[in-house]
Amino acid sequence: MIQLVMLLIGAKAVRRQWALLPVLGAVWIVLGVLLIVDASSGALTATLDMVAILLLIEGVAGFIGACAMGLKAHAWLAWRAGALVLIGLLALDVLFDHGISDSLLFGTAFVVDGSVRIASAWVVRFERWRVAVFAGVVELILAALVLAQWPVPH
């Protein structure tokens, strides 16, 4: 991923912001720990909102990446990004019971993201394509667990 960032942004720009990367990594770790703590308390409101925000961020970043690489050649990335943004917005906008509706939204998000990840890795066959396929399979398993209401029912 670092090589892709270096290619897209440029080595000089990355070197200027190099000190920011560990800070961003630490922020993501803290957010992950907070999500786990919130999920363990039984009240999932902050967790669901955070996952929805992360889906929005991933969708917007994916759309920017698709635009940077050319929408004609990478239309499937733009569609995936649009689906993630839509699911994130729907998850944020749910004002009633967060049970079944959120499970369907997040299960769908995992299915879309995992399927696109597997398909793109299979077609492109970059250096670590097997790792990407494995990550996609893990996302599909997570989707099945979410949609099957396991380990916690809605």
mmCIF file with all atom_site columns, all heavy atoms in Angstrom, residues 11 25 29 66 83 87 90 100 111 127 131 136-137 151:
data_model
loop_
_atom_site.group_PDB
_atom_site.id
_atom_site.type_symbol
_atom_site.label_atom_id
_atom_site.label_alt_id
_atom_site.label_comp_id
_atom_site.label_asym_id
_atom_site.label_entity_id
_atom_site.label_seq_id
_atom_site.pdbx_PDB_ins_code
_atom_site.Cartn_x
_atom_site.Cartn_y
_atom_site.Cartn_z
_atom_site.occupancy
_atom_site.B_iso_or_equiv
_atom_site.pdbx_formal_charge
_atom_site.auth_seq_id
_atom_site.auth_comp_id
_atom_site.auth_asym_id
_atom_site.auth_atom_id
_atom_site.pdbx_PDB_model_num
ATOM 1  N N   . ALA A 1 11  ? 6.897   10.711  -4.062  1.00 0.00 ? 11  ALA A N   1
ATOM 2  C CA  . ALA A 1 11  ? 7.792   10.465  -2.933  1.00 0.00 ? 11  ALA A CA  1
ATOM 3  C C   . ALA A 1 11  ? 8.040   11.725  -2.117  1.00 0.00 ? 11  ALA A C   1
ATOM 4  O O   . ALA A 1 11  ? 8.109   11.676  -0.888  1.00 0.00 ? 11  ALA A O   1
ATOM 5  C CB  . ALA A 1 11  ? 9.113   9.887   -3.440  1.00 0.00 ? 11  ALA A CB  1
ATOM 6  N N   . GLY A 1 25  ? -1.763  6.173   12.318  1.00 0.00 ? 25  GLY A N   1
ATOM 7  C CA  . GLY A 1 25  ? -1.840  4.780   12.757  1.00 0.00 ? 25  GLY A CA  1
ATOM 8  C C   . GLY A 1 25  ? -2.275  4.667   14.208  1.00 0.00 ? 25  GLY A C   1
ATOM 9  O O   . GLY A 1 25  ? -3.113  3.832   14.558  1.00 0.00 ? 25  GLY A O   1
ATOM 10 N N   . ILE A 1 29  ? -5.688  2.949   15.797  1.00 0.00 ? 29  ILE A N   1
ATOM 11 C CA  . ILE A 1 29  ? -5.625  1.939   16.854  1.00 0.00 ? 29  ILE A CA  1
ATOM 12 C C   . ILE A 1 29  ? -6.519  2.345   18.026  1.00 0.00 ? 29  ILE A C   1
ATOM 13 O O   . ILE A 1 29  ? -7.273  1.526   18.567  1.00 0.00 ? 29  ILE A O   1
ATOM 14 C CB  . ILE A 1 29  ? -4.171  1.715   17.309  1.00 0.00 ? 29  ILE A CB  1
ATOM 15 C CG1 . ILE A 1 29  ? -3.396  0.992   16.205  1.00 0.00 ? 29  ILE A CG1 1
ATOM 16 C CG2 . ILE A 1 29  ? -4.112  0.922   18.607  1.00 0.00 ? 29  ILE A CG2 1
ATOM 17 C CD1 . ILE A 1 29  ? -1.911  0.907   16.455  1.00 0.00 ? 29  ILE A CD1 1
ATOM 18 N N   . ALA A 1 66  ? -10.675 6.340   -7.744  1.00 0.00 ? 66  ALA A N   1
ATOM 19 C CA  . ALA A 1 66  ? -11.207 5.963   -9.058  1.00 0.00 ? 66  ALA A CA  1
ATOM 20 C C   . ALA A 1 66  ? -11.160 7.148   -10.013 1.00 0.00 ? 66  ALA A C   1
ATOM 21 O O   . ALA A 1 66  ? -10.837 6.991   -11.201 1.00 0.00 ? 66  ALA A O   1
ATOM 22 C CB  . ALA A 1 66  ? -12.639 5.444   -8.928  1.00 0.00 ? 66  ALA A CB  1
ATOM 23 N N   . ALA A 1 83  ? -21.502 2.548   -3.507  1.00 0.00 ? 83  ALA A N   1
ATOM 24 C CA  . ALA A 1 83  ? -22.276 1.631   -2.663  1.00 0.00 ? 83  ALA A CA  1
ATOM 25 C C   . ALA A 1 83  ? -21.881 1.777   -1.196  1.00 0.00 ? 83  ALA A C   1
ATOM 26 O O   . ALA A 1 83  ? -22.741 1.788   -0.307  1.00 0.00 ? 83  ALA A O   1
ATOM 27 C CB  . ALA A 1 83  ? -22.075 0.193   -3.126  1.00 0.00 ? 83  ALA A CB  1
ATOM 28 N N   . ILE A 1 87  ? -24.382 2.994   1.782   1.00 0.00 ? 87  ILE A N   1
ATOM 29 C CA  . ILE A 1 87  ? -24.612 2.160   2.967   1.00 0.00 ? 87  ILE A CA  1
ATOM 30 C C   . ILE A 1 87  ? -24.220 2.918   4.229   1.00 0.00 ? 87  ILE A C   1
ATOM 31 O O   . ILE A 1 87  ? -24.912 2.864   5.249   1.00 0.00 ? 87  ILE A O   1
ATOM 32 C CB  . ILE A 1 87  ? -23.857 0.824   2.832   1.00 0.00 ? 87  ILE A CB  1
ATOM 33 C CG1 . ILE A 1 87  ? -24.494 -0.019  1.726   1.00 0.00 ? 87  ILE A CG1 1
ATOM 34 C CG2 . ILE A 1 87  ? -23.848 0.068   4.143   1.00 0.00 ? 87  ILE A CG2 1
ATOM 35 C CD1 . ILE A 1 87  ? -23.688 -1.215  1.315   1.00 0.00 ? 87  ILE A CD1 1
ATOM 36 N N   . LEU A 1 90  ? -26.958 5.474   4.912   1.00 0.00 ? 90  LEU A N   1
ATOM 37 C CA  . LEU A 1 90  ? -28.153 4.804   5.414   1.00 0.00 ? 90  LEU A CA  1
ATOM 38 C C   . LEU A 1 90  ? -27.984 4.382   6.872   1.00 0.00 ? 90  LEU A C   1
ATOM 39 O O   . LEU A 1 90  ? -28.899 4.500   7.678   1.00 0.00 ? 90  LEU A O   1
ATOM 40 C CB  . LEU A 1 90  ? -28.509 3.600   4.549   1.00 0.00 ? 90  LEU A CB  1
ATOM 41 C CG  . LEU A 1 90  ? -29.088 3.916   3.178   1.00 0.00 ? 90  LEU A CG  1
ATOM 42 C CD1 . LEU A 1 90  ? -29.200 2.635   2.349   1.00 0.00 ? 90  LEU A CD1 1
ATOM 43 C CD2 . LEU A 1 90  ? -30.440 4.574   3.310   1.00 0.00 ? 90  LEU A CD2 1
ATOM 44 N N   . ILE A 1 100 ? -32.171 -5.103  12.958  1.00 0.00 ? 100 ILE A N   1
ATOM 45 C CA  . ILE A 1 100 ? -32.196 -5.771  11.661  1.00 0.00 ? 100 ILE A CA  1
ATOM 46 C C   . ILE A 1 100 ? -31.717 -4.855  10.548  1.00 0.00 ? 100 ILE A C   1
ATOM 47 O O   . ILE A 1 100 ? -30.958 -5.276  9.674   1.00 0.00 ? 100 ILE A O   1
ATOM 48 C CB  . ILE A 1 100 ? -33.617 -6.297  11.372  1.00 0.00 ? 100 ILE A CB  1
ATOM 49 C CG1 . ILE A 1 100 ? -33.974 -7.381  12.394  1.00 0.00 ? 100 ILE A CG1 1
ATOM 50 C CG2 . ILE A 1 100 ? -33.726 -6.835  9.966   1.00 0.00 ? 100 ILE A CG2 1
ATOM 51 C CD1 . ILE A 1 100 ? -35.398 -7.834  12.330  1.00 0.00 ? 100 ILE A CD1 1
ATOM 52 N N   . VAL A 1 111 ? -20.434 -7.795  2.003   1.00 0.00 ? 111 VAL A N   1
ATOM 53 C CA  . VAL A 1 111 ? -20.566 -8.608  0.788   1.00 0.00 ? 111 VAL A CA  1
ATOM 54 C C   . VAL A 1 111 ? -20.039 -7.842  -0.430  1.00 0.00 ? 111 VAL A C   1
ATOM 55 O O   . VAL A 1 111 ? -19.266 -8.378  -1.233  1.00 0.00 ? 111 VAL A O   1
ATOM 56 C CB  . VAL A 1 111 ? -22.025 -9.058  0.566   1.00 0.00 ? 111 VAL A CB  1
ATOM 57 C CG1 . VAL A 1 111 ? -22.218 -9.627  -0.826  1.00 0.00 ? 111 VAL A CG1 1
ATOM 58 C CG2 . VAL A 1 111 ? -22.427 -10.087 1.605   1.00 0.00 ? 111 VAL A CG2 1
ATOM 59 N N   . GLU A 1 127 ? 1.252   -8.460  -6.938  1.00 0.00 ? 127 GLU A N   1
ATOM 60 C CA  . GLU A 1 127 ? 2.244   -9.238  -6.197  1.00 0.00 ? 127 GLU A CA  1
ATOM 61 C C   . GLU A 1 127 ? 1.647   -10.023 -5.024  1.00 0.00 ? 127 GLU A C   1
ATOM 62 O O   . GLU A 1 127 ? 1.944   -11.195 -4.852  1.00 0.00 ? 127 GLU A O   1
ATOM 63 C CB  . GLU A 1 127 ? 3.337   -8.294  -5.682  1.00 0.00 ? 127 GLU A CB  1
ATOM 64 C CG  . GLU A 1 127 ? 4.476   -9.007  -4.992  1.00 0.00 ? 127 GLU A CG  1
ATOM 65 C CD  . GLU A 1 127 ? 5.546   -8.039  -4.558  1.00 0.00 ? 127 GLU A CD  1
ATOM 66 O OE1 . GLU A 1 127 ? 5.725   -7.014  -5.212  1.00 0.00 ? 127 GLU A OE1 1
ATOM 67 O OE2 . GLU A 1 127 ? 6.204   -8.329  -3.542  1.00 0.00 ? 127 GLU A OE2 1
ATOM 68 N N   . VAL A 1 131 ? -3.200  -12.534 -0.656  1.00 0.00 ? 131 VAL A N   1
ATOM 69 C CA  . VAL A 1 131 ? -3.555  -11.887 0.606   1.00 0.00 ? 131 VAL A CA  1
ATOM 70 C C   . VAL A 1 131 ? -4.857  -11.098 0.442   1.00 0.00 ? 131 VAL A C   1
ATOM 71 O O   . VAL A 1 131 ? -5.724  -11.112 1.316   1.00 0.00 ? 131 VAL A O   1
ATOM 72 C CB  . VAL A 1 131 ? -2.408  -10.965 1.085   1.00 0.00 ? 131 VAL A CB  1
ATOM 73 C CG1 . VAL A 1 131 ? -2.806  -10.196 2.334   1.00 0.00 ? 131 VAL A CG1 1
ATOM 74 C CG2 . VAL A 1 131 ? -1.153  -11.778 1.335   1.00 0.00 ? 131 VAL A CG2 1
ATOM 75 N N   . GLY A 1 136 ? -10.723 -10.658 1.284   1.00 0.00 ? 136 GLY A N   1
ATOM 76 C CA  . GLY A 1 136 ? -12.081 -10.662 0.745   1.00 0.00 ? 136 GLY A CA  1
ATOM 77 C C   . GLY A 1 136 ? -12.904 -11.822 1.286   1.00 0.00 ? 136 GLY A C   1
ATOM 78 O O   . GLY A 1 136 ? -14.091 -11.662 1.595   1.00 0.00 ? 136 GLY A O   1
ATOM 79 N N   . VAL A 1 137 ? -12.291 -12.976 1.410   1.00 0.00 ? 137 VAL A N   1
ATOM 80 C CA  . VAL A 1 137 ? -12.989 -14.143 1.969   1.00 0.00 ? 137 VAL A CA  1
ATOM 81 C C   . VAL A 1 137 ? -13.345 -13.890 3.434   1.00 0.00 ? 137 VAL A C   1
ATOM 82 O O   . VAL A 1 137 ? -14.448 -14.224 3.883   1.00 0.00 ? 137 VAL A O   1
ATOM 83 C CB  . VAL A 1 137 ? -12.130 -15.422 1.810   1.00 0.00 ? 137 VAL A CB  1
ATOM 84 C CG1 . VAL A 1 137 ? -12.680 -16.576 2.625   1.00 0.00 ? 137 VAL A CG1 1
ATOM 85 C CG2 . VAL A 1 137 ? -12.023 -15.802 0.344   1.00 0.00 ? 137 VAL A CG2 1
ATOM 86 N N   . PRO A 1 151 ? -22.277 -13.666 16.650  1.00 0.00 ? 151 PRO A N   1
ATOM 87 C CA  . PRO A 1 151 ? -22.564 -14.345 17.909  1.00 0.00 ? 151 PRO A CA  1
ATOM 88 C C   . PRO A 1 151 ? -23.625 -13.648 18.748  1.00 0.00 ? 151 PRO A C   1
ATOM 89 O O   . PRO A 1 151 ? -24.055 -14.175 19.759  1.00 0.00 ? 151 PRO A O   1
ATOM 90 C CB  . PRO A 1 151 ? -21.219 -14.326 18.635  1.00 0.00 ? 151 PRO A CB  1
ATOM 91 C CG  . PRO A 1 151 ? -20.558 -13.076 18.184  1.00 0.00 ? 151 PRO A CG  1
ATOM 92 C CD  . PRO A 1 151 ? -21.032 -12.874 16.756  1.00 0.00 ? 151 PRO A CD  1
#
